[in-house]
Amino acid sequence: MHHNHNHNHHHKSVMLRPFFLLIFLLNLAASALTAVEYTKNDFPPGFIFGSGTSAYQVEGAANEDGRTPSIWDTFAHAGNVPGTGDVACDEYHKYKEDVKLMADTGLDAYRFSISWSRLIPRIQPHVTLHHFDLPQALEDEYGGWINRMIVKDFTAYADVCFREFGDRVSYWTTVNEPNGFAMVGYDFGIAPPKRCSPPFNNCSRGNSSTEPYMAVHHLLLAHASVARLYKKNYQLIFIYVLNFRVANPLLYGDYPKIMKQNAGSRLPAFTDRESQQIKGSADFIGVINYYTVYIKDNPSSLKQEHRDWSADTATKAFFEQDTATSSNEPSSLQIVLEYFKRVYGNPPIYVHENGLATPRHSSLEDISRVKYLHAYIGSVLDAVRNGSNTRGYFVWSFLDVFELLDGYASSYGLYYVDRDDPDLKRYPKLSAHWYSQFLKGRNMRSDEVFTLEKKISSLAYDLDFQ
């Protein structure tokens, strides 16, 4: 999620992203008008605008220069998702071309992740240490994130990253979208490491009732360990991508009372020392938002004999996905940002993922995406004007990447990647032109979509989408 964070991030499908965001958005039934006319200059000085990808989804070169498989390589090659990330966008070889494209577009920053199983080395980099792609060797050795041993190994990996790249990177994220990672990997079992138990019957091992909690618990401990290491030895800025389920431990040192009540002994407990180490360990917060999820009370889920992570929320979700044919609610993002202001003391926030899915083989004139971005960026501006301490916004995704749950069927990219071209040529979509004009200070009105379409229609490439 994404993913997403998926996003993504990772495919933000109708079946999956709502569950990611069920935990993430609360009840977003309220609506509000967003800014309809604005420029980049309406945002506070220093506000960052960027776009993002993640290692497995964009790099390719899966077997080069000593890289070993991650759990996503294993999962994709087992046929669990259409396609693989073996080549993806081949950014491993084309990164210089893509960085020039980022600069030409006008990005302030680029959000990407380092492949733990590869550990490779003027746009400001925002680096995620772990974007779902755990080394397969650690999964095989001791079960990965469900084993406390992961805390030591993740800290050692982070130390190498900080030591090698710390002079060039001052914005670090520990783990992307922990709620989605736990949900699809350890509860539903539809993503690696594909662990689950009945009523989910697509796994050969796992326990949907306990392992999602174990994975998130160890994620929090690993985050706190890495944050301590960073602040002790490197003294720059540290960030963490989180959701409301893990906001409480990071800000208050413990899980929410209702979470402990519903999960009972299945939820691991923090020692007093761990609680103190986790509390306040995030310097700022990353938010991932795609569309609205509505929830309502569903107490019957608490009566199930074998409850999983999602049943413990005691809710039912019903939702509307933002597509070209359904209404979107950009006010949802404003509500999330202002919720952090009201409930958590207004911490610094970066919107790490926000974007719209379209079928991959569709027109480069992605008017629906332009409308979406215009509305959601306006929603961020409204939140900032209302006092939210939001400091940056990243579109998912810069290129059409390998989406983690449906491969190359859908896309979120500002730039189309022609997979039939041996050179994987990049082509700007209408959204790339629009975002670039916005980044360069143009006055972007709500009707700018249509005037811009006319102005640059002669620049749009007419590809053969066979």
Side-chain angles (χ1 to χ4, degrees), residues 284-323:
F284 53 91
I285 289 169
V287 166
I288 292 173
N289 176 286
Y290 285 91
Y291 51 80
T292 303
V293 181
Y294 294 98
I295 61 174
K296 62 182 178 182
D297 192 24
N298 181 32
S300 62
S301 68
L302 295 177
K303 298 175 182 177
Q304 297 176 17
E305 183 179 354
H306 300 292
R307 292 211 306 277
D308 67 335
W309 165 282
S310 58
D312 286 338
T313 63
T315 63
K316 283 183 179 176
F318 55 102
F319 55 90
E320 256 189 70
Q321 185 183 21
D322 290 329
T323 67

Side-chain angles (χ1 to χ4, degrees), residues 42-223:
D42 288 318
F43 288 81
F47 193 95
I48 296 296
F49 282 99
S51 189
T53 62
S54 83
Y56 185 69
Q57 296 179 265
V58 75
E59 283 181 358
N63 303 309
E64 295 187 32
D65 296 336
R67 183 185 183 275
T68 58
S70 73
I71 58 175
W72 259 104
D73 293 88
T74 305
F75 184 78
H77 278 272
N80 291 296
V81 63
T84 73
D86 287 1
V87 177
C89 301
D90 199 29
E91 193 170 76
Y92 187 73
H93 296 116
K94 295 171 70 70
Y95 71 93
K96 289 184 179 178
E97 171 188 334
D98 285 342
V99 169
K100 183 179 185 304
L101 196 59
M102 294 168 203
D104 291 345
T105 303
L107 299 189
D108 297 320
Y110 177 54
R111 176 176 175 255
F112 61 98
S113 70
I114 291 175
S115 169
W116 189 348
S117 59
R118 186 196 306 277
L119 189 52
I120 61 167
R122 190 143 40 187
I123 289 173
Q124 188 181 97
H126 286 236
V127 177
T128 300
L129 293 171
H130 181 62
H131 196 116
F132 302 156
D133 51 351
L134 180 77
Q136 185 66 45
L138 300 185
E139 185 70 28
D140 293 341
E141 182 181 345
Y142 54 73
W145 285 106
I146 61 170
N147 192 312
R148 195 184 180 97
M149 291 173 66
I150 193 71
V151 176
K152 182 178 179 181
D153 283 343
F154 184 67
T155 305
Y157 158 60
D159 194 22
V160 174
C161 293
F162 298 155
R163 186 170 65 246
E164 296 296 325
F165 311 127
D167 61 330
R168 283 158 284 173
V169 177
S170 56
Y171 295 83
W172 294 93
T173 306
T174 46
V175 180
N176 181 75
E177 203 171 9
N179 58 325
F181 178 67
M183 182 80 75
V184 297
Y186 298 90
D187 187 359
F188 300 157
I190 55 175
K194 202 176 182 184
R195 298 182 69 94
C196 65
S197 59
F200 307 105
N201 298 312
N202 53 316
C203 306
S204 59
R205 61 199 185 282
N207 187 326
S208 297
S209 186
T210 60
E211 288 188 355
Y213 291 109
M214 295 165 64
V216 164
H217 192 73
H218 295 141
L219 281 165
L220 284 165
L221 293 175
H223 160 75

